[in-house]
Amino acid sequence: MITAVGHADLTPATWELVRTELRAHLRGLPPDTPALVRAGAGLPLAFGRVAHELGHRLTVLLPEQGDAPLGGDEDELRAHGELLALAAQIRMLPFDPLDRDACVSADERLVAGCSRVLAVWDGSPSSGQDATAHMVAYARARGIAVDVLWPAGAARERARHAASVRVS
């Protein structure tokens, strides 16, 4: 099983570069390699679309908190809906999608269930907002193969990146 983790604050031009890299990596795998993603906008949706497009069986982990399985803004809700439509299987995972620590824990469970991780990562350390470096270290510590995708010309949005790496 394969999954993707990575920065959420990519520039619009970088998203196209990332989709191209995701396609190239997934094309290199047997088509029966299942894909696993936690429901969400940004990278989860991009990865889910590409996996589905290339015929990989997609499993979506959906946040479940009490009676309300979905949370977030309009973009998140649309992404959840689209991923559910693309999914061959849906797994409910109890966590609060608005709680960063709960999301990191959910991502750890996601990564632990895979044999390969595609990391859209510029190599920066973890910050209070971005846990990509943590997910890469988490996977590597468990012997899970990690392919870092950071295509030439990729960039993060400066304002969000600068805010995410500030230490208070």
Side-chain angles (χ1 to χ4, degrees), residues 4-6 10-11 23 26 63 71 86 94 106 109 116 124 143 148 158:
V5 298
L10 305 179
T11 64
R23 260 186 214 93
L26 289 174
L86 298 175
R109 290 179 64 186
R116 179 168 300 277
S124 62
V148 175
R158 288 196 181 274

Side-chain angles (χ1 to χ4, degrees), residues 5-23 40-47 49-50 120 150-151 153-157 160:
V5 298
H7 301 305
D9 59 351
L10 305 179
T11 64
T14 298
W15 279 113
E16 190 53 44
L17 296 170
V18 165
R19 282 188 287 273
T20 299
E21 288 286 316
L22 289 171
R23 260 186 214 93
L43 183 59
L45 182 57
F47 177 70
R49 285 174 174 166
V50 171
V120 178
W150 195 252
R156 296 171 70 184
E157 293 178 355
R160 288 179 64 188

